[in-house]
Amino acid sequence: MTHPAKPTASHFINGAYVEDTSGTPIPVIYAATGEEITKVYAATPAIVEQALASAKAAQSAWAKMTGTERGRILRRAADIMRERNHDLSVLETYDTGKPLQETLVADATSGADALEYFGGLAGSLTGEHIPLGEDWVYTVREALGVCVGIGAWNYPTQIACWKGAPALACGNSMVFKPSETTPLCALKVAEILHEAGLPAGVFNVVQGMGEVGGALVTDPRVDKVSLTGSVPTGKKVYAAAAEGMKHVTMELGGKSPMIVFDDADIDNAVGGAINGNFYSSGQVCSNGTRVFVQKGIKEKFLARLAERVGNAVMGDPMDEATSFGPMVTKNQMNIVLGYIEKGKAEGARLICGGNRADQSGWFIEPTVFADVTDDMTIAREEIFGPVMSVLDFDTEEEVVARANDTEFGLSAGVFTKDFTRAHRVIGNLEAGSCFINSYNDAPVEAPFGGVKASGVGRENSKEAIKNFSQVKSVYVRMGDVEAAF
Ligand code: NAD
């Protein structure tokens, strides 16, 4: 792979690229062709040590800078990311296989939004003054210390920025471990932050599989762990963090409901279902993969859906006309194909798709099943691929109960023209990130995260500040101290 934005080594530590080829090689496979385009090396214990020691050493001086100074660096990094959006988007496409049509508008741009937003907030982080007669209490919002970020493979640039930007705005330092499947983009985030003036050691990137993540999570110097990944990994990382009483943010999986009432605008609902199931080839945690459609409009909805899904353009992700890309890996493709077979075997009605596409790379056709019932595997488990399940319902009360009947609680959406009902239904759904007459919008200004098994804590918005800082409270006595003896 020759590309101007290709990172020059596996790790980024203490302000510079670092290589150590004694680590386990990790091939980077381009999902659209199956070819190895480059490789990185997993961090050895020595590399992990270097990264943690750098983060620890840099943190207190970074926290002592004013918020405005920290914010200026983050905002400068946002500008650089926007200027280089095209190159960074091509790199994101190499890393993930997602079509350039998407990466040009959803990855470096979303990362830049986070850097700009948290850069802007950094100077406004203050405490409170609490009067108590003559005495008073004041509070100070302080950094947590050294934070670890661990990423999933679907949004490598965005995840690094969604974790790094609020962490750094609050005065923390970070060691970020990208997914071993998509190791390249986070390195560019580190490089750009340093180009923007970030002091060495404040944001470091190391590569590796779960064991490198595990070594970071259990290190006593680490104060906080923010993970984006699956529920099983989340349980392990949460438990390991609890051993050291560390703060956590867990952004995990979902099996989110999207509810379409029969008064909904059909094209908007179909558009929402397409965005909530086929964007990034379905590899989005908040996807509304259980589409509940009220019986009165079911066949009309399915007909329009099949027609519009037929317009998907599958092919070379670097061609901006392509609107639907491959699965990130062969393994993920096989997992998803296995779910499709289960859907067929358990009696769901295949409306469209259902097969691996006849071309090189890990492509699966966008797939819609109808007549899906609550007990089917495809309606219960997170598939993380382009497989939509359409389920029927009669009443509001019934659909709310069925929508909530899952261990997950990341997102939920409702399509209806009846706004009273829309708010009532959303109020009764167990989910962290919800949508009315829309699906999967994730602006940096809005909190993002799940309830139940889908996670703990929130990313983005002012909520993320709370999740990357702590409050010190100081009682100030003006008079004498009274004591019993
Ligand atoms: P994964 O859980 O397999 O891996 C996530 C990360 O955790 C990787 O970097 C991996 O190396 C690391 N890891 C694995 N075991 C570890 C351990 N024991 N200790 C520390 N780190 C460990 O997830 P994935 O397959 O990369 O991503 C897909 C999953 O991520 C899906 O479930 C999806 O829903 C979820 N996801 C959630 C969000 C969100 O914001 N809620 C966003 C994207 C993806």
Side-chain angles (χ1 to χ4, degrees):
M1 169 198 178
T2 50
H3 181 260
K6 185 184 165 192
T8 56
S10 299
H11 317 289
F12 196 98
I13 300 173
N14 208 24
Y17 276 108
V18 175
E19 192 54 281
D20 178 356
T21 55
S22 65
T24 309
I26 302 175
V28 183
I29 312 283
Y30 181 38
T33 60
E35 287 162 337
E36 179 176 329
I37 50 171
T38 185
K39 62 162 74 69
V40 296
Y41 295 87
T44 56
I47 288 285
V48 170
E49 174 54 34
Q50 231 179 299
L52 286 168
S54 301
K56 182 74 186 166
Q59 191 265 323
S60 63
W62 173 243
K64 286 196 173 78
M65 284 168 66
T66 68
T68 304
E69 286 166 336
R70 288 197 301 272
R72 194 176 301 133
I73 293 169
L74 299 184
R75 285 186 293 105
R76 214 180 280 142
D79 290 344
I80 300 174
M81 284 189 79
R82 286 213 178 85
E83 278 160 25
R84 298 192 196 148
N85 183 42
H86 195 275
D87 280 352
L88 294 170
S89 302
V90 171
L91 190 74
E92 175 95 19
T93 292
Y94 274 126
D95 226 2
T96 60
K98 291 185 294 182
L100 200 53
Q101 192 188 89
E102 286 187 15
T103 57
L104 282 170
V105 295
D107 294 285
T109 51
S110 161
D113 282 354
L115 291 162
E116 185 175 3
Y117 176 84
F118 289 107
L121 278 188
S124 71
L125 307 180
T126 56
E128 268 190 299
H129 172 264
I130 304 164
L132 291 163
E134 283 191 348
D135 297 350
W136 76 88
V137 167
Y138 68 91
T139 64
V140 185
R141 188 156 286 282
E142 293 186 334
L144 299 173
V146 176
C147 300
V148 161
I150 301 178
W153 39 257
N154 53 349
Y155 284 84
T157 305
Q158 187 188 83
I159 293 172
C161 292
W162 282 19
K163 296 188 189 309
L168 270 44
C170 293
N172 302 285
S173 60
M174 178 166 271
V175 178
F176 185 82
K177 189 199 83 64
S179 163
E180 57 272 33
T181 306
T182 53
L184 303 179
C185 294
L187 292 165
K188 295 307 285 187
V189 173
E191 189 188 313
I192 288 169
L193 279 165
H194 287 82
E195 199 178 325
L198 191 73
V202 175
F203 187 81
N204 309 275
V205 175
V206 297
Q207 307 295 345
M209 338 282 186
E211 71 218 38
V212 172
L216 293 170
V217 171
T218 49
D219 191 278
R221 285 165 289 191
V222 170
D223 301 287
K224 150 115 200 182
V225 180
S226 176
L227 169 79
T228 297
S230 60
V231 173
T233 303
K235 286 180 181 167
K236 279 188 224 157
V237 173
Y238 201 168
E243 277 295 306
M245 206 59 80
K246 298 172 202 278
H247 298 254
V248 294
T249 298
M250 294 283 148
E251 291 293 348
L252 309 176
K255 191 74 200 175
S256 300
M258 199 190 110
I259 301 172
V260 184
F261 285 96
D262 55 17
D263 67 340
D265 179 296
I266 295 244
D267 260 304
N268 284 337
V270 166
I274 288 172
N275 287 344
N277 281 272
F278 299 131
Y279 202 71
S280 301
S281 301
Q283 303 165 112
V284 180
C285 52
S286 50
N287 272 355
T289 48
R290 290 182 296 146
V291 180
F292 290 94
V293 181
Q294 206 163 15
K295 280 191 181 140
I297 51 157
K298 174 183 160 186
E299 291 308 327
K300 211 166 146 195
F301 178 90
L302 287 172
R304 187 71 184 118
L305 180 64
E307 191 184 329
R308 285 182 56 180
V309 171
N311 296 332
V313 180
M314 202 184 317
D316 177 5
M318 295 295 176
D319 180 345
E320 282 184 47
T322 297
S323 58
F324 187 82
M327 296 287 93
V328 72
T329 58
K330 189 176 183 185
N331 184 42
Q332 186 64 17
M333 176 185 74
N334 288 330
I335 291 171
V336 175
L337 289 172
Y339 276 111
I340 291 174
E341 288 316 307
K342 276 201 182 121
K344 292 175 187 167
E346 291 176 16
R349 170 161 61 111
L350 189 63
I351 299 292
C352 57
N355 297 297
R356 181 176 177 181
D358 185 18
Q359 60 187 91
S360 68
W362 324 129
F363 289 86
I364 296 178
E365 296 165 347
T367 298
V368 177
F369 281 109
D371 303 339
V372 177
T373 53
D374 297 347
D375 55 338
M376 289 183 188
T377 310
I378 55 169
R380 301 217 66 82
E381 297 181 12
E382 184 183 44
I383 299 175
F384 225 58
V387 184
M388 184 195 303
S389 293
V390 179
L391 305 93
D392 315 337
F393 74 95
D394 287 304
T395 69
E396 177 183 322
E397 199 184 3
E398 168 211 337
V399 77
V400 167
R402 289 170 58 199
N404 285 337
D405 183 19
T406 165
E407 64 165 322
F408 300 109
L410 186 48
S411 292
V414 55
F415 279 82
T416 175
K417 290 196 184 113
D418 178 344
F419 260 68
T420 311
R421 174 162 65 187
H423 291 291
R424 187 173 57 233
V425 168
I426 288 292
N428 288 324
L429 288 173
E430 296 161 0
S433 303
C434 299
F435 310 93
I436 293 177
N437 291 332
S438 190
Y439 206 89
N440 260 356
D441 315 75
V444 67
E445 296 86 350
F448 180 82
V451 303
K452 295 159 77 179
S454 291
V456 175
R458 292 292 177 269
E459 297 202 299
N460 288 343
S461 78
K462 291 177 204 150
E463 290 298 315
I465 295 292
K466 292 185 199 152
N467 286 253
F468 277 107
S469 60
Q470 58 198 341
V471 172
K472 176 182 277 174
S473 138
V474 184
Y475 190 106
V476 181
R477 182 175 295 283
M478 298 301 285
D480 295 331
V481 174
E482 280 180 31
F485 53 86

